[in-house]
Amino acid sequence: MRIGEVKAALMAGFARQLALPSGATGLAVTQLLNVANRKLMDGAAAALDARPGDMVADIGFGGGHGLRALLEQVGPTGTVYGIDLSPTVIAQARKVFRRPIREGRLKLHHGPMDELPLPDACLAGVATVNTVYYIEDEPLAASLKEVARVLESGGRLVLGAADPAYQAGLPFRDGMISRAPQEISQFLEEAGFTVTDHRRIGEDDRAFHVYIGTR
């Protein structure tokens, strides 16, 4: 196998781990993302602006940095739901967050965004970062409608995603769906959200996008 083919195979494997982390490699990838995407995750948590006592969710929480940020926001009287497709990620979070789980402040669930194990209008806010690249159009529309279902009136969805120009230059972009900002805003509006803010996290034209949709 040539060097180029080896590199392509490695990048394809990395892309698969980004989409669905598994095993020791998946855990390493999620920890790397905790560091590489810290500004984006902190920016998304700040945009969610959860209050003490709120009930919120982080969907596709990966390495768990967002869970930690939301637990700090909602405080000892609030509740955070962590929902992810990866059994590996769920198992790791159960080890890392033993105390808030034991206290009932963090509840973890394995499953997709379009099948949330929550009752109607129960959450004040939902954050999801770097997830929409891995969801086809129809499931994405269904997922956002499901998020709208579990949000209370006036509840807030914060969605973080990379700029398409940045995605285009990634060596591990295989399997990632690139959507322009106006497309993401349209998906949100069609799901019943009012896009009240669209901000950038970063210093250049490839800075990440953070969309805020109000129910």
Side-chain angles (χ1 to χ4, degrees):
M1 186 178 290
R2 297 177 179 178
I3 293 177
E5 293 173 336
V6 171
K7 183 178 179 180
L10 288 173
M11 288 299 100
F14 186 68
R16 288 192 295 271
Q17 289 289 357
L18 287 174
L20 188 65
S22 63
T25 302
L27 289 178
V29 168
T30 60
Q31 293 311 307
L32 174 65
L33 293 179
N34 261 357
V35 176
N37 292 332
R38 187 174 296 269
K39 281 188 177 181
L40 172 60
M41 292 184 286
D42 285 342
L48 193 65
D49 194 25
R51 299 181 179 182
D54 275 352
M55 186 180 296
V56 299
D58 186 351
I59 302 177
F61 60 82
H65 180 74
L67 294 178
R68 197 177 304 279
L70 293 180
L71 283 166
E72 290 178 1
Q73 283 191 351
V74 302
T77 60
T79 305
V80 176
Y81 286 86
I83 300 164
D84 204 285
L85 266 179
S86 167
T88 296
V89 158
I90 295 287
Q92 179 67 6
R94 292 194 187 284
K95 296 177 182 178
V96 173
F97 295 98
R98 286 191 181 96
R99 182 172 179 177
I101 291 172
R102 186 173 63 250
E103 294 171 344
R105 299 195 300 117
L106 175 62
K107 301 179 185 297
L108 301 176
H109 293 283
H110 169 250
M113 198 188 306
D114 59 359
E115 296 179 9
L116 299 177
L118 298 167
D120 295 354
C122 66
L123 299 179
V126 171
T128 186
V129 174
N130 286 333
T131 56
V132 296
Y133 327 125
Y134 306 106
I135 308 176
E136 299 287 345
D137 284 359
E138 287 189 16
L140 178 58
S143 295
L144 294 175
K145 288 178 182 177
E146 179 73 342
V147 171
R149 178 186 69 79
V150 301
L151 277 172
E152 62 189 28
S153 179
R156 177 177 288 191
L157 166 63
V158 174
L159 189 156
D163 189 85
Y166 174 70
Q167 281 183 269
L170 293 174
F172 45 83
R173 63 184 177 276
D174 288 354
M176 297 177 73
I177 300 169
S178 179
R179 295 185 176 96
Q182 59 267 29
E183 292 180 83
I184 293 179
S185 293
Q186 184 175 348
F187 270 103
L188 290 168
E189 290 167 358
E190 290 177 353
F193 290 96
T194 299
V195 179
T196 54
D197 194 5
H198 171 199
R199 61 186 69 169
R200 304 293 296 275
I201 304 293
E203 303 299 330
D204 56 28
D205 60 356
R206 294 186 176 186
F208 278 82
H209 297 261
V210 172
Y211 307 83
I212 302 173
T214 302
R215 182 75 175 93

